[in-house]
Amino acid sequence: MVHAVHVSGACAIDNLTHSLVGALLGQAGLKKKTGLAMPALIIGANLPDVDAACFFWLEGAEHLGFRRGITHGPPALVLLPLILAALLWGFDRWQASRGNRPEGRRPVSFKWLFLLSFIGCLTHPALDWLNVYGIRLLEPFSSQWFYGDTLFIIDVWLWALMGFATWFSMRRERQGGEWIKPARWAIAVSLAYIGMNGLITAKAEGQVAGAKKASAVAAEQIIASPLPVAFWNREIIEGNGYGDFFIDGDDVGAAALLPHCNLDEAAARDKEITAFLFWSRAPFVTEDPERDGWLLRDARFYDPLARDRFSVKLPPWSCVQVYPAYSGGGPTVVAVPEPPDD
């Protein structure tokens, strides 16, 4: 059995951001539609992450092949809001039957509870799509991954903007002032900020592609990965199609090239490797620091603070050592390793 190495903490947009989006939508006027509107919006904005429960039954890297999928696809985005609306409606009825329903709560409309839960749920995959981690938007109809490459998982600028706007709007509401417009302005500015980041990514990828074309060196894959805090910068990840990846020009995958690894056989023998390869967008192989095998990594998460949480240990027989030596534009050809007889 091959064991994963510290694979935990899947990277999609954080739940504080999701919650702030739901709260801002409520402060923008939607919470006036029905009682319990704010719980519908805020919980709904986080609800697709119910797939985090998979940590109770999946081991190591297996969650990478499960999360950001079935609960983020079209059927779930209808079913989950329906369940949430029913629970909130039932909660309101239960409180009323016990005589402790808050007097200031607006009448509860099941129709609006569902619509607001639905709106909240829709914001979740929209935000998750914005980073490099990826999301399977069409599950269960398609397992294709989609990537926005626009925002870092935790964007402190969005936190500051939406957090302040939510607080300010609620404060104005308590004081009897205009509270809807500040929230709407914050939503507009947030959308403009996201759009600007999308343009930064597109420009960075275009510049790299143009430089490669001018030098007659094609890059099979280019990822402009957003950075924390410094939203105006991008980490450039380039793949050459042979399992070598370059991060800001530094080669991180030359110790063992993917064509020289029998990953199909390794995956057939271990579910965690299968899940990692299904999830990975930029897989490459390095030597295990303990010198007893290989590590399968992803170039998107090769930062020292993240790399060990996104790696899977491969058995010693899975790869052969190949140092950077190219002939005719491709890697040196060696025999693909074979697993030992069981």
Side-chain angles (χ1 to χ4, degrees), residues 3-342:
H3 297 284
V5 181
H6 305 300
V7 184
S8 62
C11 286
I13 291 295
D14 67 285
N15 292 101
L16 176 57
T17 302
H18 287 304
S19 299
L20 287 173
V21 168
L24 262 184
L25 288 172
Q27 290 302 120
L30 288 180
K31 74 176 187 179
K32 298 170 65 176
K33 298 297 183 181
T34 178
L36 297 178
M38 287 296 269
L41 286 164
I42 295 173
I43 297 174
N46 288 278
L47 201 52
D49 275 345
V50 69
D51 61 1
C54 72
F55 286 107
F56 288 108
W57 69 82
L58 296 180
E59 297 182 3
E62 290 183 69
H63 74 89
L64 293 174
F66 179 80
R67 298 206 64 193
R68 315 294 178 243
I70 191 66
T71 62
H72 292 59
L77 295 180
V78 175
L79 181 60
L80 290 176
L82 189 62
I83 294 173
L84 176 58
L87 290 174
L88 291 174
W89 183 81
F91 175 72
D92 181 73
R93 296 292 295 269
W94 176 75
Q95 282 191 314
S97 69
R98 292 173 59 88
N100 58 1
R101 185 183 189 276
E103 293 183 4
R105 180 185 295 164
R106 290 183 174 87
V108 170
S109 163
F110 183 83
K111 179 188 75 172
W112 274 109
L113 282 179
F114 170 72
L115 289 175
L116 296 180
S117 299
F118 180 64
I119 291 171
C121 274
L122 286 181
T123 67
H124 189 103
L127 285 172
D128 276 0
W129 170 77
L130 292 174
N131 58 40
V132 299
Y133 186 93
I135 181 174
R136 303 195 304 282
L137 290 169
L138 301 179
E139 286 281 11
F141 309 112
S142 169
S143 294
Q144 179 182 350
W145 289 88
F146 295 87
Y147 311 93
D149 299 345
T150 300
L151 297 180
F152 188 68
I153 172 182
I154 295 176
D155 193 302
V156 295
W157 304 108
L158 275 183
W159 274 6
L161 171 60
M162 295 193 297
F164 174 79
T166 301
W167 169 81
F168 183 75
S169 174
M170 296 178 74
R171 182 171 179 268
R172 291 291 297 272
E173 182 182 11
R174 288 193 299 269
Q175 295 174 344
E178 171 57 57
W179 54 275
I180 293 179
K181 285 184 179 180
R184 291 180 177 177
W185 271 108
I187 291 173
V189 174
S190 297
L191 290 174
Y193 172 77
I194 292 171
M196 178 183 66
N197 273 272
L199 292 176
I200 292 172
T201 292
K203 180 180 178 181
E205 291 180 349
Q207 287 176 337
V208 174
K212 291 294 181 181
K213 184 177 181 180
S215 63
V217 178
E220 293 290 327
Q221 188 175 8
I222 300 173
I223 302 172
S225 180
L227 297 174
V229 184
F231 68 85
W232 53 89
N233 288 332
R234 293 294 182 270
E235 179 181 72
I236 302 300
I237 302 170
E238 303 171 61
N240 64 6
Y242 299 115
D244 282 336
F245 282 89
F246 301 83
I247 300 178
D248 288 337
D250 295 329
D251 190 350
V252 297
L257 302 174
L258 284 180
H260 306 129
C261 297
N262 195 341
L263 295 183
D264 289 340
E265 184 62 32
R269 294 175 174 226
D270 192 278
K271 293 180 180 179
E272 294 180 36
I273 298 175
T274 301
F276 190 95
L277 289 172
F278 171 66
W279 160 81
S280 183
R281 182 182 180 188
F284 68 96
V285 177
T286 63
E287 288 183 279
D288 189 334
E290 298 178 359
R291 299 286 180 176
D292 61 347
W294 310 90
L295 290 178
L296 181 60
R297 300 185 184 274
D298 190 291
R300 296 170 297 170
F301 302 102
Y302 195 57
D303 183 273
L305 296 178
R307 65 179 62 169
D308 286 339
R309 294 187 291 119
F310 295 93
S311 61
V312 173
K313 191 170 183 178
L314 298 173
W317 55 261
S318 60
C319 297
V320 293
Q321 181 69 58
V322 178
Y323 293 95
Y326 292 84
S327 175
T332 303
V333 178
V334 297
V336 175
E338 294 293 335
D341 295 331
D342 292 329

